[in-house]
Amino acid sequence: AFPSTKSPVASTGAPTSSPSVSPTASPVASTGAPTSLPSAFPSTKSPVASTGAPTSSPSVSPTASPVASTGAPSSSPTASPVAPTKAPTKAPTSGSPCIERTFSNFLLKRTNRGALKIKNCKYLQRLKNQGKNITNICASTASTDKFKPAKDVCQVTCGTCSSNCVELGSATAYWITFGKKNHKTTKCEWLANKSAEAQEKACAFDESPIKKDVAKVVCPVTCKQC
């Protein structure tokens, strides 16, 4: 047999043809430079909170100062109570002062037979204190030459005095103290019958050591307070 006449596929002198495939592309990233350029500008956003300063003003204003500080009370202390038996400032009056005597008599009514029924202011005061209705008695106008109606005799109890300066003869007031605790009282009509000197002493007190008020308050007419 004869030796093969076909040349080898590739000779050592020159390639048979152009390469069939282009060389592969450069690696995506080389070791010499980063794969892409850095962003155009650095971010301008500050971190939410930095260690140097707070991010913003507090969202809520601080609470108000407490109503009361520890240095002083929240309000002024209440005033000391005024002694209940201390005489008040003299009030202006109008009309003529009225004194109601306990045993002053008035005409209650005239009976069918014409007899007169007579009562005194103590009787009327007792009815009032018992819660009884005295309106009709105080509204009566029946009178005689000797006896007047209740509205003219017992003006304090009936509330018919034209003045705000009124005095019940049966009212009790602080009078005087003997020693340290021997406190005495007096009725206005008893004091009214005493000497001017005795009245002046009794009416001079502004405060009472007992529950009964002073004479100048209870007996303002006798004490010339109005």
Side-chain angles (χ1 to χ4, degrees):
F2 294 98
S4 174
T5 58
K6 291 181 179 179
S7 299
V9 174
S11 69
T12 57
T16 58
S17 63
S18 300
S20 58
V21 180
S22 299
T24 59
S26 301
V28 173
S30 68
T31 57
T35 58
S36 61
L37 295 174
S39 57
F41 299 99
S43 173
T44 58
K45 293 183 179 179
S46 300
V48 173
S50 68
T51 56
T55 57
S56 60
S57 300
S59 58
V60 180
S61 299
T63 57
S65 300
V67 174
S69 67
T70 56
S74 58
S75 59
S76 301
T78 55
S80 300
V82 177
T85 56
K86 188 174 182 179
T89 305
K90 187 176 179 179
T93 58
S94 59
S96 299
C98 299
I99 298 179
E100 182 175 309
R101 304 298 181 192
T102 304
F103 297 102
S104 294
N105 293 324
F106 66 91
L107 176 62
L108 179 62
K109 65 180 180 179
R110 191 188 298 271
T111 65
N112 294 333
R113 295 183 178 182
L116 302 179
K117 192 168 185 178
I118 307 300
K119 292 292 182 181
N120 56 38
C121 292
K122 183 177 180 179
Y123 164 82
L124 193 60
Q125 292 168 17
R126 184 171 66 251
L127 291 181
K128 186 175 182 178
N129 291 336
Q130 292 173 348
K132 303 291 181 63
N133 189 343
I134 62 172
T135 302
N136 291 337
I137 297 176
C138 291
S140 174
T141 57
S143 64
T144 65
D145 292 339
K146 186 177 180 179
F147 298 105
K148 294 180 180 181
K151 68 183 184 68
D152 295 334
V153 178
C154 312
Q155 293 179 309
V156 179
T157 301
C158 284
T160 53
C161 183
S162 61
S163 172
N164 60 345
C165 182
V166 297
E167 179 178 313
L168 272 176
S170 60
T172 303
Y174 166 69
W175 174 39
I176 197 171
T177 298
F178 295 104
K180 293 183 178 180
K181 296 183 179 180
N182 189 12
H183 309 301
K184 298 295 183 180
T185 59
T186 179
K187 291 187 180 298
C188 292
E189 52 198 1
W190 180 89
L191 184 60
N193 292 325
K194 290 298 179 181
S195 65
E197 183 181 358
Q199 290 179 5
E200 186 177 353
K201 288 181 179 179
C203 296
F205 292 106
D206 290 321
E207 295 184 13
S208 169
I210 58 177
K211 291 184 179 179
K212 295 296 183 180
D213 217 332
V214 293
K216 67 170 57 178
V217 174
V218 182
C219 317
V221 181
T222 297
C223 288
K224 299 177 176 59
Q225 294 297 299
C226 49

